[in-house]
Amino acid sequence: MPRPFLPVALAALQSALLAAPAPAEPPFWRSEWPNTDFATTTVDSWTEILSGGPPRDGIPALDGPVFVPAADGPPLGDREPVIVLDLPGVPARAYPIRYLTWHEIVNDTVADVPVAVTFCPLCNSALVFHRRVDGRDLSFGVTGKLRNSDMVMYDRETESWWQQALGEAIVGELTGARLTQLPSWMEGWAQFRAAHPDGMVMAEPDWDRRYGTNPYAGYDSLAKPFLYNGEMPPHGIPPLARVVRVGDRAWPLPRLAEAGEISEAGVTISWTAGQASALDNGEIAKGREVGSIRVRDASGADVPHDLMFAFAFHAFYPEGEWMVAE
């Protein structure tokens, strides 16, 4: 099941949690995580990590997904968001957010490259990682825990915990290890089909889920994020405003939408209409327009980036640079 989210009760729930947060101590977790080395960690205080509701694997990650030609794909709405991975030598692949909303991680292999396609709805963070660390292929699942409202993943091989927004192990044997982020981006389904007529799309998983619906309806219009008690972003930027993160810099999406294209700090970021918010309407295809972005370097190559909420950028990149209009 997805993380419980009831917009009407959200404010009351959040107030209660912030007023008296339950202590999150490793002894409580050890029965669920007997193989995790809690003595090795970069987390300053265990109270930073909270339960998101579901238990370990309560949000089931997917392994070895099936793909079909885009022309024969599922009946997605034209503006439905998909994560695009376009590696050399194989047709581009589209991973619909309608599936990742309910599973959050897809372990796949593309052109002999082991990848983890990840999506954290509470941070709007969609990242694709190379799953090989020091010559060892890892596979990932969902702990059910959140830190700064961001998904905490785990690898099944060592049961170390990983921060999705950073691609970094924060608890366990592999603490300090980093995953390599691969270039990927989100765009509308029609945009993917037009750009990649020979592209492939992930087929509907064989799980009993309400694919195409958004259990977080209205989330990205809230004043405050869910299960987050950190600092709010500077410059008057709303905490649930989208920003494009490249390295430790963040460009507010409204600035990019107004300009259409901005070239700064060695990258060119372009914005085009055609993608619905996955966190607005109860039906993903009917979400309000947020547009699609691409980030390229001076040679025109795609650059790894994230399209995350402003509060999450501030939480994980507290010394980061905000690329606001002068």
Side-chain angles (χ1 to χ4, degrees), residues 246 249 251 263-269 295-299 303 323:
V246 184
R249 294 186 174 96
W251 283 260
S263 294
E264 291 177 344
V267 296
T268 296
I269 308 175
V295 182
R296 297 181 173 94
D297 62 17
S299 71
V303 174
M323 308 298 286

Side-chain angles (χ1 to χ4, degrees), residues 184-303:
S184 63
W185 59 93
M186 289 177 64
E187 64 187 11
W189 174 232
Q191 292 173 322
F192 174 81
R193 297 197 321 273
H196 304 283
D198 62 342
M200 306 291 285
V201 60
M202 181 178 160
E204 184 170 303
D206 188 20
W207 285 80
D208 183 17
R209 297 293 186 269
R210 297 175 61 201
Y211 297 123
T213 64
N214 165 31
Y216 309 91
Y219 178 65
D220 60 358
S221 295
L222 295 176
K224 294 182 179 179
F226 182 55
L227 289 178
Y228 176 74
N229 59 3
E231 291 184 356
M232 294 301 166
H235 306 296
I237 299 174
L240 287 157
R242 288 168 170 82
V243 300
V244 178
R245 179 195 65 79
V246 184
D248 61 356
R249 294 186 174 96
W251 283 260
L253 190 63
R255 182 187 173 207
L256 296 166
E258 181 179 357
E261 184 172 283
I262 291 176
S263 294
E264 291 177 344
V267 296
T268 296
I269 308 175
S270 58
W271 180 95
T272 55
Q275 183 183 167
S277 165
L279 299 165
D280 175 38
N281 194 279
E283 186 176 341
I284 292 176
K286 295 181 179 178
R288 73 179 186 280
E289 178 69 45
V290 293
S292 302
I293 63 102
R294 291 286 291 272
V295 182
R296 297 181 173 94
D297 62 17
S299 71
D302 287 291
V303 174

Side-chain angles (χ1 to χ4, degrees), residues 94-177:
Y95 300 80
I97 291 296
R98 62 162 50 200
Y99 307 145
L100 280 151
T101 294
W102 297 88
H103 296 280
E104 299 193 357
I105 300 173
V106 177
N107 295 292
D108 196 7
T109 301
V110 184
D112 295 324
V113 177
V115 301
V117 181
T118 71
F119 176 61
C120 177
L122 297 180
C123 290
N124 196 66
S125 182
L127 301 172
V128 178
F129 299 109
H130 197 305
R131 292 191 282 113
R132 186 169 295 145
V133 176
D134 293 332
R136 184 181 191 180
D137 289 359
L138 304 177
S139 61
F140 291 90
V142 182
T143 65
K145 307 292 189 289
L146 298 170
R147 180 167 175 249
N148 291 323
S149 204
D150 179 61
M151 169 177 49
V152 178
M153 314 187 298
Y154 77 95
D155 70 79
R156 296 161 176 161
E157 288 68 30
T158 73
E159 298 195 6
S160 298
W161 292 10
W162 298 73
Q163 193 72 62
Q164 183 260 358
L166 299 172
E168 179 180 352
I170 59 172
V171 177
E173 175 185 331
L174 296 181
T175 293

Side-chain angles (χ1 to χ4, degrees), residues 67-93:
F67 283 81
V68 297
D72 302 324
L76 307 181
D78 282 348
R79 295 187 307 117
E80 273 200 54
V82 299
I83 299 174
V84 181
L85 182 61
D86 189 9
L87 297 183
V90 294
R93 294 193 176 189

